[in-house]
Coordinates of all heavy atoms in Angstrom, one line a residue:
M853 N 82.8 27.1 -70.9 CA 83.6 28.3 -70.7 C 82.9 29.4 -71.6 O 83.3 30.6 -71.5 CB 85.0 28.1 -71.2 CG 85.7 27.1 -70.4 SD 86.0 27.6 -68.7 CE 87.5 28.5 -68.8
K854 N 82.1 29.0 -72.5 CA 81.4 30.0 -73.4 C 80.5 30.9 -72.5 O 79.8 30.4 -71.7 CB 80.6 29.3 -74.5 CG 81.5 28.6 -75.6 CD 80.6 28.0 -76.6 CE 81.5 27.4 -77.6 NZ 80.8 26.8 -78.7
G855 N 80.6 32.2 -72.8 CA 79.8 33.1 -72.1 C 80.4 33.6 -70.8 O 79.9 34.5 -70.2
L856 N 81.4 33.0 -70.3 CA 82.1 33.4 -69.1 C 82.6 34.8 -69.2 O 82.6 35.6 -68.2 CB 83.2 32.4 -68.7 CG 83.9 32.7 -67.4 CD1 82.9 32.7 -66.2 CD2 85.0 31.7 -67.2
L857 N 83.2 35.2 -70.3 CA 83.7 36.5 -70.5 C 82.7 37.6 -70.3 O 82.9 38.6 -69.6 CB 84.4 36.6 -71.9 CG 85.2 37.8 -72.1 CD1 86.4 37.9 -71.1 CD2 85.8 37.8 -73.5
G858 N 81.5 37.4 -70.8 CA 80.4 38.3 -70.6 C 79.9 38.5 -69.1 O 79.6 39.5 -68.7
V859 N 79.9 37.3 -68.4 CA 79.6 37.3 -67.1 C 80.6 38.0 -66.1 O 80.2 38.7 -65.2 CB 79.3 35.9 -66.5 CG1 79.1 35.8 -65.1 CG2 78.1 35.3 -67.3
L860 N 81.9 37.8 -66.5 CA 82.9 38.5 -65.7 C 82.8 40.0 -65.6 O 83.3 40.5 -64.6 CB 84.3 38.1 -66.3 CG 84.7 36.6 -66.2 CD1 86.1 36.4 -66.8 CD2 84.7 36.1 -64.7
N861 N 82.3 40.6 -66.6 CA 82.1 42.0 -66.6 C 81.2 42.6 -65.5 O 81.2 43.8 -65.2 CB 81.8 42.5 -68.0 CG 82.9 42.4 -69.0 OD1 84.1 42.5 -68.6 ND2 82.5 42.1 -70.2
H862 N 80.3 41.7 -65.0 CA 79.3 42.0 -64.1 C 79.8 42.0 -62.6 O 79.1 42.4 -61.7 CB 78.1 41.3 -64.2 CG 77.4 41.4 -65.6 ND1 76.9 42.7 -66.0 CD2 77.3 40.6 -66.6 CE1 76.4 42.5 -67.2 NE2 76.6 41.3 -67.6
F863 N 81.0 41.4 -62.4 CA 81.5 41.3 -61.0 C 82.5 42.5 -60.7 O 83.0 43.1 -61.6 CB 82.3 40.0 -60.9 CG 81.4 38.8 -60.9 CD1 81.2 38.0 -62.0 CD2 80.9 38.3 -59.7 CE1 80.4 36.9 -61.9 CE2 80.1 37.2 -59.6 CZ 79.9 36.5 -60.7
E864 N 82.7 42.7 -59.5 CA 83.6 43.8 -59.0 C 85.1 43.2 -59.3 O 85.3 42.0 -59.1 CB 83.4 44.0 -57.6 CG 82.2 44.8 -57.2 CD 82.2 45.1 -55.7 OE1 83.2 45.4 -55.1 OE2 81.1 45.0 -55.2
P865 N 86.0 44.0 -59.7 CA 87.4 43.6 -60.0 C 88.0 42.8 -58.8 O 88.7 42.0 -58.9 CB 88.1 44.9 -60.4 CG 87.0 45.7 -60.9 CD 85.8 45.4 -60.2
K866 N 87.8 43.4 -57.6 CA 88.3 42.7 -56.4 C 87.9 41.3 -56.2 O 88.8 40.4 -56.0 CB 88.0 43.5 -55.1 CG 88.7 44.7 -54.8 CD 88.3 45.3 -53.5 CE 89.1 46.5 -53.1 NZ 88.7 47.0 -51.8
I867 N 86.7 41.0 -56.4 CA 86.2 39.6 -56.4 C 86.8 38.8 -57.4 O 87.1 37.7 -57.2 CB 84.7 39.6 -56.4 CG1 84.0 40.3 -55.1 CG2 84.1 38.2 -56.5 CD1 82.6 40.5 -55.2
L868 N 86.9 39.3 -58.6 CA 87.4 38.5 -59.7 C 88.9 38.2 -59.5 O 89.3 37.1 -59.7 CB 87.2 39.3 -61.1 CG 85.9 39.5 -61.6 CD1 85.8 40.4 -62.7 CD2 85.3 38.1 -62.0
L869 N 89.6 39.1 -58.9 CA 91.0 38.9 -58.7 C 91.3 37.9 -57.5 O 92.2 37.1 -57.6 CB 91.8 40.2 -58.5 CG 92.0 41.1 -59.7 CD1 92.5 42.5 -59.3 CD2 92.8 40.4 -60.8
R870 N 90.5 38.0 -56.5 CA 90.7 37.1 -55.3 C 90.1 35.8 -55.5 O 90.6 34.8 -55.0 CB 90.1 37.8 -54.1 CG 91.0 39.1 -53.7 CD 90.4 39.7 -52.5 NE 91.1 40.9 -52.1 CZ 90.7 41.8 -51.2 NH1 89.6 41.6 -50.6 NH2 91.4 42.8 -51.0
K871 N 89.0 35.7 -56.1 CA 88.2 34.4 -56.1 C 88.2 33.7 -57.5 O 88.5 32.6 -57.6 CB 86.7 34.7 -55.7 CG 86.5 35.3 -54.4 CD 86.9 34.3 -53.2 CE 86.6 35.0 -51.9 NZ 86.9 34.1 -50.8
V872 N 87.8 34.5 -58.5 CA 87.6 33.8 -59.8 C 88.9 33.6 -60.6 O 89.1 32.5 -61.1 CB 86.7 34.7 -60.7 CG1 86.5 34.1 -62.1 CG2 85.4 34.9 -60.1
L873 N 89.9 34.6 -60.6 CA 91.1 34.4 -61.3 C 91.9 33.2 -60.8 O 92.4 32.4 -61.7 CB 92.0 35.7 -61.3 CG 93.2 35.7 -62.2 CD1 92.8 35.5 -63.6 CD2 94.0 37.0 -61.9
P874 N 92.1 33.0 -59.6 CA 92.9 31.8 -59.1 C 92.3 30.5 -59.6 O 92.9 29.6 -60.1 CB 92.9 31.9 -57.6 CG 92.7 33.3 -57.3 CD 91.9 33.9 -58.4
L875 N 90.9 30.4 -59.6 CA 90.2 29.2 -60.0 C 90.4 29.0 -61.5 O 90.5 27.9 -62.0 CB 88.8 29.2 -59.7 CG 88.4 29.2 -58.2 CD1 86.9 29.5 -57.9 CD2 88.8 27.9 -57.6
L876 N 90.3 30.2 -62.2 CA 90.4 30.1 -63.7 C 91.8 29.7 -64.1 O 92.0 28.8 -65.0 CB 90.2 31.5 -64.3 CG 90.0 31.7 -65.8 CD1 88.8 30.8 -66.2 CD2 89.8 33.1 -66.1
L877 N 92.8 30.2 -63.4 CA 94.2 29.8 -63.7 C 94.5 28.3 -63.3 O 95.4 27.7 -63.9 CB 95.2 30.8 -63.0 CG 95.2 32.2 -63.6 CD1 96.0 33.1 -62.7 CD2 95.6 32.2 -65.0
D878 N 93.8 27.9 -62.3 CA 93.9 26.5 -61.9 C 93.5 25.5 -63.0 O 93.9 24.4 -63.1 CB 93.2 26.3 -60.6 CG 93.5 24.9 -60.0 OD1 94.7 24.6 -59.9 OD2 92.6 24.2 -59.5
L879 N 92.6 26.0 -63.9 CA 92.1 25.2 -65.0 C 93.1 25.0 -66.0 O 92.9 24.2 -67.0 CB 90.8 25.8 -65.5 CG 89.6 25.9 -64.6 CD1 88.4 26.6 -65.4 CD2 89.1 24.5 -64.3
L880 N 94.2 25.7 -66.0 CA 95.3 25.5 -67.0 C 95.9 24.1 -66.9 O 96.6 23.7 -67.8 CB 96.4 26.6 -66.9 CG 96.0 28.0 -67.2 CD1 97.1 29.0 -66.9 CD2 95.7 28.0 -68.8
K881 N 95.7 23.4 -65.8 CA 96.2 22.1 -65.7 C 95.5 21.1 -66.6 O 95.9 20.0 -66.9 CB 96.3 21.6 -64.3 CG 95.0 21.4 -63.7 CD 95.2 21.0 -62.2 CE 93.8 21.2 -61.4 NZ 94.0 21.1 -60.0
F882 N 94.3 21.5 -67.2 CA 93.5 20.6 -68.0 C 93.8 21.1 -69.5 O 93.5 22.2 -69.9 CB 92.1 20.7 -67.8 CG 91.7 20.3 -66.3 CD1 91.4 21.2 -65.4 CD2 91.8 18.9 -66.1 CE1 91.1 20.7 -64.1 CE2 91.5 18.5 -64.8 CZ 91.1 19.5 -63.8
K883 N 94.4 20.2 -70.2 CA 94.9 20.6 -71.6 C 93.8 21.1 -72.5 O 94.0 22.1 -73.2 CB 95.5 19.3 -72.2 CG 96.2 19.6 -73.6 CD 96.7 18.3 -74.1 CE 97.3 18.5 -75.5 NZ 97.9 17.3 -76.1
H884 N 92.6 20.6 -72.4 CA 91.5 21.0 -73.3 C 91.0 22.3 -73.0 O 90.3 23.0 -73.7 CB 90.4 19.9 -73.4 CG 89.7 19.7 -72.1 ND1 90.3 19.0 -71.1 CD2 88.5 20.1 -71.6 CE1 89.5 19.0 -70.0 NE2 88.4 19.6 -70.3
L885 N 91.2 22.8 -71.7 CA 90.8 24.1 -71.3 C 91.7 25.2 -71.5 O 91.4 26.4 -71.3 CB 90.3 24.1 -69.9 CG 89.0 23.2 -69.6 CD1 88.8 23.2 -68.1 CD2 87.9 23.7 -70.3
I886 N 93.0 24.9 -71.8 CA 94.0 26.0 -71.9 C 93.7 27.1 -72.9 O 93.8 28.2 -72.5 CB 95.4 25.3 -72.2 CG1 95.9 24.5 -71.0 CG2 96.4 26.4 -72.6 CD1 97.1 23.7 -71.3
P887 N 93.3 26.8 -74.1 CA 92.9 27.9 -75.0 C 91.8 28.8 -74.5 O 91.9 30.0 -74.6 CB 92.5 27.2 -76.3 CG 93.1 25.9 -76.2 CD 93.1 25.5 -74.8
S888 N 90.8 28.2 -73.9 CA 89.7 29.1 -73.3 C 90.2 29.9 -72.2 O 89.8 31.1 -72.1 CB 88.6 28.1 -72.8 OG 88.1 27.3 -73.8
V889 N 91.0 29.4 -71.3 CA 91.5 30.2 -70.2 C 92.4 31.3 -70.7 O 92.4 32.5 -70.2 CB 92.2 29.3 -69.2 CG1 92.9 30.1 -68.1 CG2 91.3 28.3 -68.5
I890 N 93.3 31.0 -71.6 CA 94.2 32.0 -72.2 C 93.4 33.1 -72.8 O 93.6 34.3 -72.6 CB 95.2 31.4 -73.2 CG1 96.1 30.5 -72.5 CG2 95.9 32.5 -74.0 CD1 97.0 29.6 -73.4
Y891 N 92.4 32.7 -73.6 CA 91.5 33.8 -74.3 C 90.9 34.6 -73.3 O 90.9 35.9 -73.4 CB 90.5 33.1 -75.2 CG 89.6 34.1 -75.8 CD1 90.0 34.8 -76.9 CD2 88.3 34.1 -75.4 CE1 89.2 35.7 -77.6 CE2 87.5 35.1 -76.0 CZ 87.9 35.8 -77.1 OH 87.0 36.7 -77.6
I892 N 90.3 34.1 -72.3 CA 89.5 34.9 -71.3 C 90.5 35.8 -70.6 O 90.2 37.0 -70.4 CB 88.8 33.9 -70.3 CG1 87.6 33.3 -71.0 CG2 88.3 34.7 -69.1 CD1 87.0 32.1 -70.2
C893 N 91.6 35.3 -70.1 CA 92.6 36.2 -69.4 C 93.1 37.3 -70.3 O 93.2 38.5 -69.9 CB 93.7 35.4 -68.9 SG 93.3 34.3 -67.5
L894 N 93.4 37.0 -71.5 CA 94.0 38.1 -72.4 C 92.9 39.1 -72.8 O 93.2 40.3 -72.8 CB 94.5 37.4 -73.7 CG 95.8 36.6 -73.5 CD1 96.1 35.9 -74.8 CD2 97.0 37.5 -73.1
E895 N 91.6 38.7 -72.9 CA 90.5 39.6 -73.2 C 90.3 40.5 -72.0 O 90.1 41.7 -72.2 CB 89.3 38.9 -73.6 CG 89.4 38.3 -75.1 CD 89.6 39.4 -76.1 OE1 88.9 40.4 -76.1 OE2 90.4 39.1 -77.0
T896 N 90.3 39.9 -70.8 CA 90.0 40.8 -69.6 C 91.2 41.7 -69.4 O 91.0 42.9 -68.9 CB 89.8 40.0 -68.4 OG1 90.8 39.0 -68.2 CG2 88.5 39.2 -68.5
M897 N 92.4 41.4 -69.8 CA 93.6 42.2 -69.7 C 93.5 43.4 -70.7 O 93.7 44.6 -70.4 CB 94.9 41.5 -69.9 CG 96.0 42.4 -69.7 SD 97.6 41.5 -70.2 CE 97.4 41.4 -72.0
K898 N 92.9 43.1 -72.0 CA 92.8 44.2 -72.9 C 91.8 45.3 -72.4 O 92.0 46.4 -72.7 CB 92.3 43.6 -74.2 CG 93.3 42.8 -75.1 CD 92.6 42.3 -76.3 CE 93.6 41.5 -77.1 NZ 92.9 40.8 -78.3
N899 N 90.8 44.8 -71.7 CA 89.8 45.6 -71.2 C 90.5 46.6 -70.2 O 90.2 47.8 -70.1 CB 88.7 44.8 -70.5 CG 87.6 45.6 -69.8 OD1 87.9 46.7 -69.2 ND2 86.4 45.1 -69.8
G900 N 91.4 46.1 -69.3 CA 92.1 46.9 -68.4 C 91.4 47.2 -67.1 O 92.0 47.6 -66.1
K901 N 90.1 46.9 -67.0 CA 89.4 47.1 -65.8 C 89.4 46.0 -64.8 O 89.3 46.1 -63.6 CB 87.9 47.5 -66.2 CG 87.8 48.8 -66.9 CD 86.2 49.0 -67.3 CE 86.1 50.2 -68.2 NZ 84.8 50.4 -68.6
I902 N 89.5 44.8 -65.4 CA 89.4 43.6 -64.6 C 90.8 43.2 -64.2 O 91.2 43.1 -63.0 CB 88.7 42.4 -65.3 CG1 87.2 42.9 -65.6 CG2 88.7 41.3 -64.4 CD1 86.4 42.0 -66.4
I903 N 91.7 42.8 -65.2 CA 93.0 42.4 -65.0 C 94.0 43.6 -65.5 O 94.0 43.8 -66.7 CB 93.4 41.2 -65.8 CG1 92.6 40.0 -65.2 CG2 94.9 40.8 -65.5 CD1 92.8 38.7 -65.9
T904 N 94.6 44.3 -64.5 CA 95.5 45.3 -64.9 C 96.8 44.7 -65.3 O 97.0 43.5 -65.2 CB 95.7 46.3 -63.7 OG1 96.4 45.5 -62.7 CG2 94.4 46.9 -63.2
E905 N 97.7 45.5 -65.8 CA 99.0 45.1 -66.4 C 99.8 44.5 -65.2 O 100.5 43.5 -65.3 CB 99.8 46.2 -67.0 CG 99.2 46.6 -68.3 CD 99.9 47.6 -69.1 OE1 100.9 48.2 -68.6 OE2 99.5 48.0 -70.2
Q906 N 99.7 45.1 -64.0 CA 100.4 44.7 -62.8 C 99.9 43.3 -62.4 O 100.6 42.4 -62.1 CB 100.3 45.7 -61.7 CG 101.1 45.2 -60.4 CD 101.0 46.2 -59.3 OE1 100.5 47.3 -59.5 NE2 101.5 45.9 -58.2
D907 N 98.5 43.2 -62.4 CA 97.9 41.9 -62.0 C 98.3 40.8 -63.0 O 98.6 39.6 -62.6 CB 96.4 42.0 -62.0 CG 95.8 42.9 -60.9 OD1 96.5 43.0 -59.8 OD2 94.8 43.6 -61.2
F908 N 98.4 41.1 -64.2 CA 98.8 40.2 -65.3 C 100.3 39.7 -65.0 O 100.5 38.6 -65.0 CB 98.8 40.8 -66.7 CG 99.0 39.8 -67.7 CD1 98.1 38.9 -68.2 CD2 100.4 39.7 -68.3 CE1 98.4 38.0 -69.2 CE2 100.7 38.8 -69.3 CZ 99.7 37.9 -69.7
R909 N 101.2 40.7 -64.8 CA 102.6 40.3 -64.5 C 102.7 39.4 -63.2 O 103.4 38.4 -63.2 CB 103.4 41.5 -64.2 CG 103.9 42.1 -65.5 CD 105.0 43.2 -65.2 NE 104.6 44.2 -64.4 CZ 103.9 45.3 -64.6 NH1 103.6 45.5 -65.9 NH2 103.6 46.2 -63.8
E910 N 102.0 39.8 -62.2 CA 102.1 39.1 -60.9 C 101.3 37.8 -60.8 O 101.8 36.8 -60.1 CB 101.7 40.0 -59.7 CG 102.6 41.3 -59.6 CD 102.1 42.2 -58.6 OE1 101.0 42.0 -58.0 OE2 102.8 43.3 -58.3
K911 N 100.1 37.7 -61.3 CA 99.3 36.6 -61.1 C 99.1 35.7 -62.4 O 99.1 34.5 -62.2 CB 97.9 37.0 -60.6 CG 98.0 37.8 -59.3 CD 96.7 38.3 -58.9 CE 96.9 39.2 -57.6 NZ 95.8 39.9 -57.2
V912 N 99.0 36.2 -63.5 CA 98.7 35.5 -64.7 C 99.9 35.0 -65.4 O 100.0 33.8 -65.8 CB 97.7 36.3 -65.6 CG1 97.4 35.5 -67.0 CG2 96.5 36.8 -65.0
W913 N 100.9 35.9 -65.6 CA 102.0 35.5 -66.4 C 102.8 34.2 -65.8 O 103.2 33.4 -66.6 CB 103.0 36.6 -66.6 CG 104.2 36.2 -67.4 CD1 105.5 36.2 -67.0 CD2 104.2 35.7 -68.7 NE1 106.3 35.8 -68.0 CE2 105.6 35.5 -69.1 CE3 103.2 35.5 -69.7 CZ2 105.9 35.0 -70.3 CZ3 103.6 35.1 -70.9 CH2 104.9 34.8 -71.2
P914 N 103.0 34.1 -64.5 CA 103.6 32.9 -64.0 C 102.9 31.6 -64.5 O 103.6 30.6 -64.8 CB 103.6 33.0 -62.4 CG 103.6 34.5 -62.3 CD 102.7 35.0 -63.4
S915 N 101.5 31.6 -64.5 CA 100.8 30.4 -64.9 C 100.9 30.3 -66.4 O 101.1 29.1 -66.9 CB 99.3 30.6 -64.5 OG 99.2 30.6 -63.1
F916 N 100.9 31.4 -67.2 CA 101.1 31.3 -68.6 C 102.5 30.8 -69.0 O 102.6 30.0 -70.0 CB 100.8 32.6 -69.2 CG 99.4 33.0 -69.5 CD1 98.4 32.2 -68.9 CD2 99.0 34.1 -70.3 CE1 97.0 32.6 -69.1 CE2 97.7 34.4 -70.5 CZ 96.7 33.7 -69.9
K917 N 103.4 31.2 -68.2 CA 104.8 30.9 -68.5 C 105.0 29.3 -68.4 O 105.7 28.7 -69.2 CB 105.7 31.5 -67.5 CG 107.2 31.5 -67.8 CD 107.9 32.4 -66.8 CE 109.4 32.3 -67.1 NZ 110.1 33.1 -66.1
R918 N 104.2 28.6 -67.4 CA 104.3 27.2 -67.3 C 103.7 26.6 -68.5 O 104.2 25.5 -69.1 CB 103.7 26.7 -66.0 CG 104.5 26.8 -64.8 CD 103.8 26.4 -63.6 NE 103.4 27.7 -63.0 CZ 102.4 27.9 -62.2 NH1 101.7 26.9 -61.9 NH2 102.0 29.0 -61.8
V919 N 102.6 27.1 -69.1 CA 102.0 26.6 -70.3 C 103.0 26.7 -71.5 O 103.1 25.8 -72.2 CB 100.7 27.4 -70.6 CG1 100.1 26.9 -71.9 CG2 99.7 27.1 -69.5
V920 N 103.6 27.8 -71.6 CA 104.5 28.1 -72.7 C 105.7 27.2 -72.7 O 106.2 26.7 -73.7 CB 104.9 29.6 -72.8 CG1 106.0 29.8 -73.8 CG2 103.7 30.5 -73.1
Q921 N 106.2 27.0 -71.5 CA 107.4 26.1 -71.3 C 107.0 24.6 -71.4 O 107.9 23.8 -71.5 CB 108.1 26.5 -70.0 CG 108.8 27.8 -70.0 CD 109.3 28.2 -68.7 OE1 109.0 27.6 -67.7 NE2 110.2 29.2 -68.7
G922 N 105.8 24.3 -71.2 CA 105.3 22.9 -71.2 C 105.5 22.3 -72.6 O 105.6 23.0 -73.6
K923 N 105.4 21.0 -72.7 CA 105.6 20.3 -73.9 C 104.3 20.1 -74.6 O 104.3 19.7 -75.8 CB 106.3 18.9 -73.7 CG 107.7 19.1 -73.1 CD 108.4 17.8 -72.9 CE 109.8 18.0 -72.4 NZ 110.4 16.8 -72.0
E924 N 103.2 20.3 -74.0 CA 101.9 20.0 -74.6 C 101.1 21.2 -74.8 O 100.1 21.4 -74.2 CB 101.1 18.9 -73.6 CG 101.8 17.6 -73.4 CD 101.0 16.7 -72.6 OE1 99.9 17.0 -72.3 OE2 101.5 15.6 -72.3
M925 N 101.5 22.0 -75.7 CA 100.8 23.2 -76.0 C 100.0 23.1 -77.3 O 100.6 22.7 -78.3 CB 101.8 24.4 -76.1 CG 101.2 25.7 -76.2 SD 102.5 27.0 -75.9 CE 101.8 28.4 -76.6
T926 N 98.8 23.4 -77.3 CA 98.0 23.1 -78.5 C 98.2 24.3 -79.5 O 98.7 25.3 -79.2 CB 96.4 23.1 -78.2 OG1 96.1 24.4 -77.7 CG2 96.1 22.1 -77.2
A927 N 97.9 24.0 -80.8 CA 98.0 25.0 -81.8 C 97.2 26.3 -81.5 O 97.6 27.3 -81.7 CB 97.7 24.4 -83.2
H928 N 96.0 26.1 -81.0 CA 95.2 27.2 -80.7 C 95.8 28.1 -79.6 O 95.7 29.3 -79.7 CB 93.7 26.7 -80.3 CG 92.7 27.8 -80.2 ND1 91.6 27.7 -79.4 CD2 92.7 29.0 -80.7 CE1 91.0 28.8 -79.5 NE2 91.6 29.6 -80.3
S929 N 96.3 27.5 -78.6 CA 97.0 28.2 -77.5 C 98.2 29.0 -78.1 O 98.4 30.2 -77.7 CB 97.6 27.2 -76.4 OG 96.4 26.5 -75.8
L930 N 99.0 28.4 -78.9 CA 100.1 29.0 -79.5 C 99.7 30.2 -80.4 O 100.2 31.3 -80.3 CB 100.9 28.0 -80.4 CG 102.1 28.6 -81.1 CD1 103.2 29.1 -80.1 CD2 102.8 27.6 -82.0
Y931 N 98.6 30.0 -81.1 CA 98.0 31.1 -81.9 C 97.6 32.3 -81.1 O 97.9 33.5 -81.3 CB 96.8 30.7 -82.7 CG 96.1 31.8 -83.4 CD1 96.6 32.4 -84.6 CD2 94.9 32.2 -82.9 CE1 95.9 33.4 -85.2 CE2 94.2 33.3 -83.5 CZ 94.8 33.9 -84.6 OH 94.1 34.9 -85.2
L932 N 96.9 32.0 -79.9 CA 96.5 33.1 -79.0 C 97.7 33.8 -78.5 O 97.7 35.1 -78.4 CB 95.7 32.5 -77.9 CG 94.3 32.0 -78.3 CD1 93.7 31.2 -77.1 CD2 93.4 33.2 -78.7
F933 N 98.8 33.2 -78.2 CA 100.0 33.8 -77.6 C 100.6 34.7 -78.7 O 101.1 35.8 -78.5 CB 101.0 32.9 -77.1 CG 100.7 32.4 -75.6 CD1 100.4 31.1 -75.4 CD2 100.7 33.3 -74.7 CE1 100.1 30.6 -74.1 CE2 100.4 32.9 -73.4 CZ 100.2 31.6 -73.1
V934 N 100.8 34.1 -80.0 CA 101.4 34.9 -81.0 C 100.6 36.0 -81.4 O 101.1 37.1 -81.7 CB 101.6 33.9 -82.2 CG1 102.1 34.7 -83.4 CG2 102.6 32.8 -81.9
D935 N 99.2 35.9 -81.4 CA 98.4 36.9 -81.8 C 98.4 38.1 -80.8 O 98.2 39.3 -81.2 CB 96.9 36.4 -82.0 CG 95.9 37.4 -82.6 OD1 96.4 38.0 -83.6 OD2 94.8 37.5 -82.2
N936 N 98.6 37.8 -79.6 CA 98.7 38.8 -78.6 C 100.0 39.2 -78.1 O 100.2 39.8 -77.0 CB 97.8 38.4 -77.3 CG 96.4 38.4 -77.7 OD1 95.7 39.4 -77.8 ND2 95.9 37.2 -78.0
M937 N 101.1 38.8 -78.8 CA 102.5 38.9 -78.4 C 102.9 40.4 -78.1 O 103.5 40.7 -77.1 CB 103.4 38.4 -79.5 CG 104.9 38.3 -79.0 SD 105.1 37.3 -77.5 CE 104.7 35.7 -78.0
E938 N 102.5 41.3 -78.9 CA 102.8 42.8 -78.6 C 102.3 43.2 -77.2 O 103.1 43.9 -76.5 CB 102.3 43.7 -79.7 CG 103.0 43.6 -81.0 CD 102.5 44.6 -82.1 OE1 102.0 45.6 -81.6 OE2 102.6 44.3 -83.2
K939 N 101.1 42.9 -76.9 CA 100.5 43.3 -75.7 C 101.2 42.6 -74.5 O 101.6 43.2 -73.5 CB 99.0 43.0 -75.7 CG 98.3 43.3 -74.3 CD 98.2 44.8 -74.2 CE 97.4 45.1 -72.9 NZ 97.4 46.5 -72.6
I940 N 101.5 41.3 -74.7 CA 102.2 40.5 -73.6 C 103.5 41.0 -73.4 O 104.0 41.2 -72.3 CB 102.2 39.0 -74.0 CG1 100.8 38.4 -74.0 CG2 103.0 38.2 -73.0 CD1 100.6 37.0 -74.5
E941 N 104.3 41.3 -74.5 CA 105.6 41.9 -74.4 C 105.6 43.2 -73.6 O 106.5 43.5 -72.8 CB 106.3 42.1 -75.8 CG 106.7 40.8 -76.4 CD 107.3 41.0 -77.8 OE1 107.1 42.2 -78.4 OE2 108.0 40.2 -78.3
K942 N 104.7 44.0 -74.0 CA 104.6 45.3 -73.3 C 104.4 45.1 -71.8 O 105.0 45.8 -71.0 CB 103.5 46.1 -74.0 CG 103.3 47.5 -73.4 CD 102.1 48.2 -74.0 CE 101.8 49.5 -73.2 NZ 100.4 49.9 -73.3
V943 N 103.4 44.3 -71.5 CA 103.0 44.2 -70.0 C 104.1 43.5 -69.2 O 104.4 44.0 -68.1 CB 101.8 43.2 -70.0 CG1 101.4 42.9 -68.6 CG2 100.6 44.1 -70.6
I944 N 104.8 42.5 -69.7 CA 105.8 41.8 -68.9 C 107.2 42.4 -69.1 O 108.1 42.0 -68.4 CB 105.9 40.2 -69.2 CG1 106.3 40.0 -70.7 CG2 104.5 39.6 -68.9 CD1 106.5 38.5 -71.0
G945 N 107.3 43.4 -69.9 CA 108.5 44.2 -70.0 C 109.7 43.6 -70.7 O 110.8 43.7 -70.4
L946 N 109.3 42.9 -71.9 CA 110.4 42.4 -72.7 C 111.0 43.3 -73.7 O 111.9 43.0 -74.4 CB 109.9 41.1 -73.5 CG 109.5 39.9 -72.6 CD1 108.9 38.8 -73.5 CD2 110.8 39.4 -71.9
Q947 N 110.3 44.5 -73.8 CA 110.9 45.4 -74.9 C 112.0 46.2 -74.4 O 112.2 46.6 -73.2 CB 109.7 46.4 -75.2 CG 108.7 45.7 -76.0 CD 107.5 46.6 -76.4 OE1 107.3 47.7 -75.9 NE2 106.8 46.2 -77.4

């Protein structure tokens, strides 16, 4: 998963949203990949060009929600969520 974030910036946003993002979110079912997937999704959302706030709410958040509600969340995953809580709250409309 290292270096994937740099490669993602070279693709068109449409391709990333239709092809890459669903595959990336599918990797959330593997416990050891959860922190990497969360990091990549949050970083691309910060950029705003690849994953917009609406895309995050509609496509990414439902998958993240399953991770948060799950019983097997790693400390690193929890740290990523807490560290980005303000941005997540703003995007999903908890404020």
Side-chain angles (χ1 to χ4, degrees):
M853 299 296 271
K854 291 183 179 180
L856 182 61
L857 194 56
V859 173
L860 290 179
N861 292 325
H862 298 293
F863 286 97
E864 292 182 36
K866 280 186 178 182
I867 292 173
L868 289 172
L869 289 173
R870 290 184 185 164
K871 302 288 184 177
V872 178
L873 186 62
L875 294 173
L876 191 62
L877 294 174
D878 192 43
L879 293 175
L880 287 172
K881 62 185 169 190
F882 300 105
K883 184 180 176 181
H884 64 284
L885 293 177
I886 291 173
S888 299
V889 173
I890 291 170
Y891 177 75
I892 291 169
C893 289
L894 290 173
E895 287 298 313
T896 54
M897 184 187 69
K898 285 180 185 176
N899 178 325
K901 295 177 184 174
I902 299 172
I903 298 177
T904 63
E905 290 182 358
Q906 181 178 354
D907 293 328
F908 184 84
R909 274 193 308 274
E910 294 173 358
K911 298 174 183 171
V912 178
W913 180 245
S915 297
F916 278 11
K917 194 174 179 180
R918 278 180 263 157
V919 170
V920 171
Q921 292 174 342
K923 295 180 182 179
E924 298 183 7
M925 190 164 158
T926 64
H928 189 206
S929 300
L930 180 61
Y931 171 76
L932 290 170
F933 279 118
V934 170
D935 193 40
N936 293 284
M937 188 57 66
E938 284 184 29
K939 179 70 173 174
I940 294 171
E941 285 178 345
K942 179 184 170 204
V943 171
I944 62 172
L946 290 177
Q947 292 181 339

